[in-house]
Amino acid sequence: MAVKIKLKRLGKIRSPHYRIVVADSRTRRDGRAIEEIGLYHPVQNPSRIEVNSERAQYWLSVGAQPTEPVLAILKLTGDWQAHKGLPAPAPLLQPEPKADKRALFEALNTDGDEAKGEAITQKAKKSDKKADEAADAASTESTEA
């Protein structure tokens, strides 16, 4: 019997979360599992990854084959490197929290100027456009001569 370490999908349509399970390779994706060894929540920021390293090491040592997504997760946690005898990866870095956009907007608008509700750029008058076109035409004629 071939044993796989794979992801079992749970959750709603647009908010998936997975359990890392050990199962027979012939079972369905969400079918019966031998054992659950971890969690993976990709929607959270940062992604939540929890793996029971002791159980993962055991199943890898008895010949369970991880699927590609699980292999990537095991490489992030360092369990795959421990199984292969490779050096451990750098620890996972937590991203810095993003700045509040509303606070940034209000900080920029601290000049005391209130919005006037009109366009910032002035509309060019037709007579100004005609004068600009005449000046452009005169400048091109002088450069040609």
Side-chain angles (χ1 to χ4, degrees), residues 49-61:
I49 299 173
E50 294 179 15
V51 178
N52 184 346
S53 293
E54 182 180 314
R55 296 308 296 165
Q57 291 299 318
Y58 167 77
W59 283 107
L60 289 170
S61 69

Side-chain angles (χ1 to χ4, degrees), residues 63-135:
Q65 295 296 312
T67 59
E68 288 184 21
V70 173
L71 181 61
I73 291 170
L74 292 177
K75 284 181 180 178
L76 285 175
T77 61
D79 293 319
W80 183 253
Q81 288 87 341
H83 171 67
K84 291 292 186 180
L86 301 172
L92 295 175
L93 299 176
Q94 298 295 330
E96 296 179 15
K98 294 183 179 179
D100 184 25
K101 290 182 180 180
R102 183 159 187 86
L104 289 173
F105 175 75
E106 290 173 356
L108 290 174
N109 197 15
T110 58
D111 302 353
D113 295 337
E114 292 296 322
K116 296 183 176 59
E118 57 188 60
I120 295 171
T121 58
Q122 299 294 327
K123 292 184 179 179
K125 295 180 182 177
K126 290 183 181 179
S127 60
D128 291 342
K129 285 185 182 178
K130 290 180 183 176
D132 289 339
E133 290 173 3

